[in-house]
Amino acid sequence: MEVLKKYKNQLVFHLFLNFAFALFITFASYYHLPLYTLSDISFYLFHFLALQFSIFGFLYFLSINKYLFRFLFPIVFLFFSCVAYWVYFQDIAISHSIIQVSLETKADIVMDLISIPFLLYLLSSIIALIFILKYYNKLKVNQLKSPLTILAIVAVFSYSLVENYRFGTFNRRLPYNVISSSKAYFEKNSLILKPIDQTIKANIDSLNVVFILGESVRADHLQLNGYQRKTMPLLSKRKNIISFPNAYTPLTYTAISVPQILTNATLTDDYSRPKYSLIDILNHAHIQTNWIGNQTPEKSYEIFIEQSRFQKIIDPLHSELSFQKDYDDKMLPVFKTLFKPNQNQFTILHMMGSHWWYETRYPDAFRKFQPVIKSKHIPSNTSEEMINAYDNTILYLDYFINEVIQLVEKQNSNTLVIYLADHGELLGEDNLWLHAQTGKASENPAMIIWYSEGFKEKHPETVLKLKQKQNAKTDLDFFFHSILNLYQIEGIEYNKKKVIF
Ligand SMILES: [Zn+2]
């Protein structure tokens, strides 16, 4: 009791400090979470408190030195408050691309972000800051001798303990995500690309390949592959469509799967040797390359977007973690203006697809299978709700691919639409959900090819070969070699055995 009395002021100060920090900064990362039952609310409440506890540790040690605290804390507090405002009001995702946007954009774009609500928010945090500093100046006791020091050591350790146990638990949330994203921005990519200095030629004219790069779609939930639910009513009615039920990749998350698909890397590559970029080769062969993406790029494949002759990222401030993310069909108007039937073109449409949280991926009209998930906390949803919501994303995929085909069909061109998911998804097998973990369903992505009448007339033997190969096991490293083969590329070696056309 005596001890408590002696350090009472200090204790109250840290409680107040952490309350203000949580209110103006930390809680922004939890504000948008869809939560439903008491158990998931308690889960995230605990999560939030544990995160704030770890911050307490860092703030405590900063507060030991008076000069350091008075100088550094206001900068830290106001900076993170500004970031938190955008998370609270726009649900923006803090990623390395956001850091890039903020560091590389001009002052006028930053000026646009400044609004009355923003200034009011900033003003409130300044008032809170004044109170914190006033209180801080009154503290007299030597803090290091305080029992709170032991608690602060535990708090700092809890941060590394949690992050070592499961990466991203804290690092994906404020304020840590600003630090980890900045680190990612300055990190070098491990993928080394081989420069092309030889002459490269495409021996084919007016071939359009539309590559729809999907996200987290497992092959066995496609009606085209015999799934008992009508998840693909539109594509099922179409002709000139082939689904490949046995595609395979052991690379079960976007950051490692996409670079493999778009280079000559094999599925088991260690990337010790430089790789050829497919986009780079196509550029050298004078094929128009376009990238339209609804995913905020990850460091590992950003280079392919930069290499594309045309680039457009839809809704760049929201990532897969935002609940206000635009739907994939926002890419269609851009695609429409780009598609030129009489030109050699290679267009990538990078979808948000079926990435968790499923309910953000499709509009209400596609909520056919019900009931759906209500909570971001997976254990709070039933298997039925999880699978229903997931299947609705497939229904939306059916609509999306069909829209692309319709657009292309009207032009009566020589076109292939290739849909390939970067990996599959686990839906409760062995009690595992989502991806980035091994399992039959996460390693078996969906793959669909549609060909135009014009393509069929020009290449009947290719269509026949595709049909013959439909049920064979298709490793995702087919893609690089098959595309070079399609355009009859000369000047670069590729593996003919991997060509599926
Ligand atoms: Zn992915």
Side-chain angles (χ1 to χ4, degrees):
M1 270 300 124
E2 271 302 294
V3 179
L4 202 66
K5 224 174 185 175
K6 193 173 164 194
Y7 293 101
K8 190 184 148 214
N9 279 348
Q10 195 197 5
L11 188 69
V12 175
F13 167 72
H14 279 285
L15 276 174
F16 176 61
L17 176 69
N18 281 277
F19 175 77
F21 201 94
L23 181 70
F24 281 98
I25 299 160
T26 321
F27 190 69
S29 287
Y30 295 83
Y31 178 67
H32 294 279
L33 285 174
L35 300 173
Y36 192 65
T37 63
L38 197 65
S39 84
D40 50 351
I41 292 168
S42 337
F43 174 84
Y44 276 104
L45 182 67
F46 179 74
H47 197 293
F48 164 65
L49 292 175
L51 179 79
Q52 188 57 45
F53 176 64
S54 74
I55 297 168
F56 151 74
F58 293 107
L59 291 180
Y60 180 84
F61 285 111
L62 183 65
S63 75
I64 298 288
N65 186 302
K66 282 207 159 172
Y67 300 101
L68 209 60
F69 186 82
R70 282 183 197 138
F71 174 70
L72 268 184
F73 182 76
I75 299 172
V76 169
F77 187 72
L78 294 180
F79 169 73
F80 285 119
S81 293
C82 293
V83 180
Y85 170 83
W86 296 104
V87 179
Y88 265 128
F89 290 88
Q90 303 277 330
D91 195 18
I92 64 153
I94 311 296
S95 63
H96 87 273
S97 37
I98 286 286
I99 305 290
Q100 188 166 12
V101 169
S102 2
L103 290 179
E104 293 173 13
T105 46
K106 296 172 195 86
D108 55 328
I109 297 175
V110 179
M111 287 304 281
D112 279 351
L113 299 175
I114 297 168
S115 59
I116 302 281
F118 173 74
L119 292 175
L120 286 176
Y121 190 83
L122 194 62
L123 186 69
S124 336
S125 56
I126 291 173
I127 293 169
L129 178 66
I130 292 169
F131 275 104
I132 291 169
L133 291 177
K134 258 190 155 174
Y135 207 134
Y136 181 69
N137 288 339
K138 281 191 205 152
L139 291 182
K140 279 197 188 85
V141 277
N142 183 345
Q143 295 207 38
L144 263 184
K145 283 184 189 159
S146 155
L148 274 182
T149 306
I150 298 162
L151 202 64
I153 293 172
V154 176
V156 170
F157 268 106
S158 77
Y159 166 77
S160 53
L161 212 71
V162 170
E163 274 305 306
N164 278 327
Y165 173 68
R166 194 162 160 258
F167 177 80
T169 306
F170 288 170
N171 273 345
R172 289 208 178 95
R173 292 184 161 82
L174 276 171
Y176 298 122
N177 55 7
V178 179
I179 299 157
S180 58
S181 305
S182 307
K183 234 174 87 193
Y185 170 75
F186 290 107
E187 254 166 31
K188 262 187 89 85
N189 193 352
S190 58
L191 174 71
I192 305 160
L193 292 179
K194 212 167 170 175
I196 299 169
D197 37 33
Q198 68 268 44
T199 316
I200 293 186
K201 245 177 81 188
N203 289 316
I204 202 160
D205 279 338
S206 318
L207 173 65
N208 252 286
V209 175
V210 183
F211 175 39
I212 306 175
L213 177 53
E215 176 61 62
S216 307
V217 175
R218 51 189 280 171
D220 65 348
H221 277 238
L222 266 51
Q223 189 184 346
L224 291 174
N225 293 339
Y227 187 48
Q228 81 282 5
R229 272 182 160 172
K230 293 195 168 47
T231 50
M232 295 202 136
L234 300 170
L235 294 187
S236 295
K237 276 189 227 129
R238 282 200 165 269
K239 53 177 194 169
N240 296 7
I241 203 156
I242 306 173
S243 182
F244 296 74
N246 299 314
Y248 170 75
T249 179
L251 310 172
T252 58
Y253 60 95
T254 315
I256 57 163
S257 171
V258 173
Q260 189 274 318
I261 295 171
L262 295 175
T263 61
N264 59 336
T266 60
L267 292 181
T268 50
D269 222 300
D270 63 355
Y271 293 89
S272 53
R273 282 204 233 152
K275 299 284 170 274
Y276 277 124
S277 150
L278 178 63
I279 310 265
D280 196 19
I281 295 173
L282 299 179
N283 284 340
H284 276 80
H286 305 290
I287 295 164
Q288 171 65 31
T289 51
N290 306 315
W291 185 294
I292 309 166
N294 192 24
Q295 289 207 23
T296 47
E298 294 205 45
K299 195 86 182 173
S300 71
Y301 63 85
E302 198 173 48
I303 179 74
F304 306 118
I305 303 174
E306 285 162 11
Q307 284 178 341
S308 301
R309 293 276 188 246
F310 174 90
Q311 319 146 10
K312 172 79 186 165
I313 301 295
I314 308 290
D315 192 19
L317 297 185
H318 293 122
S319 79
E320 72 279 5
L321 299 175
S322 306
F323 298 97
Q324 295 169 14
K325 177 83 192 143
D326 272 349
Y327 299 126
D328 283 327
D329 63 0
K330 278 269 167 74
M331 291 191 281
L332 295 174
V334 186
F335 174 63
K336 200 175 169 183
T337 59
L338 276 181
F339 186 79
K340 305 245 163 45
N342 300 317
Q343 198 183 38
N344 268 344
Q345 271 194 339
F346 180 79
T347 305
I348 295 186
L349 297 168
H350 190 198
M351 298 181 73
M352 202 61 256
S354 302
H355 198 290
W356 179 251
W357 199 60
Y358 307 138
E359 284 302 292
T360 316
R361 306 292 166 239
Y362 59 90
D364 295 346
F366 291 84
R367 203 165 283 107
K368 175 179 164 185
F369 305 109
Q370 298 207 40
V372 295
I373 48 174
K374 292 181 190 74
S375 173
K376 178 81 198 305
H377 185 227
I378 294 173
S380 297
N381 301 301
T382 65
S383 298
E384 191 201 355
E385 287 165 345
M386 289 289 285
I387 292 167
N388 285 343
Y390 184 79
D391 285 347
N392 291 333
T393 67
I394 309 290
L395 201 63
Y396 184 70
L397 172 68
D398 177 59
Y399 152 80
F400 182 84
I401 299 177
N402 193 59
E403 285 292 303
V404 172
I405 294 175
Q406 254 174 17
L407 265 165
V408 168
E409 222 171 13
K410 276 188 203 142
Q411 310 265 0
N412 196 22
S413 58
N414 179 22
T415 305
L416 271 186
V417 176
I418 304 174
Y419 170 82
L420 180 65
D422 59 346
H423 48 76
E425 182 90 328
L426 295 171
L427 290 172
E429 289 88 0
D430 298 323
N431 249 329
L432 296 173
W433 297 90
L434 317 189
H435 53 271
Q437 34 200 350
T438 49
K440 196 170 164 279
S442 60
E443 294 171 4
N444 179 205
M447 175 176 162
I448 300 165
I449 296 178
W450 175 87
Y451 47 90
S452 68
E453 281 297 317
F455 185 88
K456 195 167 103 181
E457 275 160 32
K458 276 195 177 170
H459 313 279
E461 71 303 331
T462 305
V463 171
L464 199 71
K465 200 172 164 194
L466 275 177
K467 284 181 180 162
Q468 283 163 356
K469 292 214 167 179
Q470 178 175 16
N471 289 311
K473 185 179 173 215
T474 315
D475 289 350
L476 290 208
D477 44 14
F478 86 92
F479 192 77
F480 176 89
H481 308 278
S482 302
I483 296 297
L484 295 194
N485 182 264
L486 263 179
Y487 286 104
Q488 298 174 16
I489 296 288
E490 221 179 84
I492 214 139
E493 287 285 309
Y494 59 89
N495 190 344
K496 295 235 159 53
K497 277 188 201 149
K498 299 203 183 232
V499 172
I500 62 160
F501 299 111

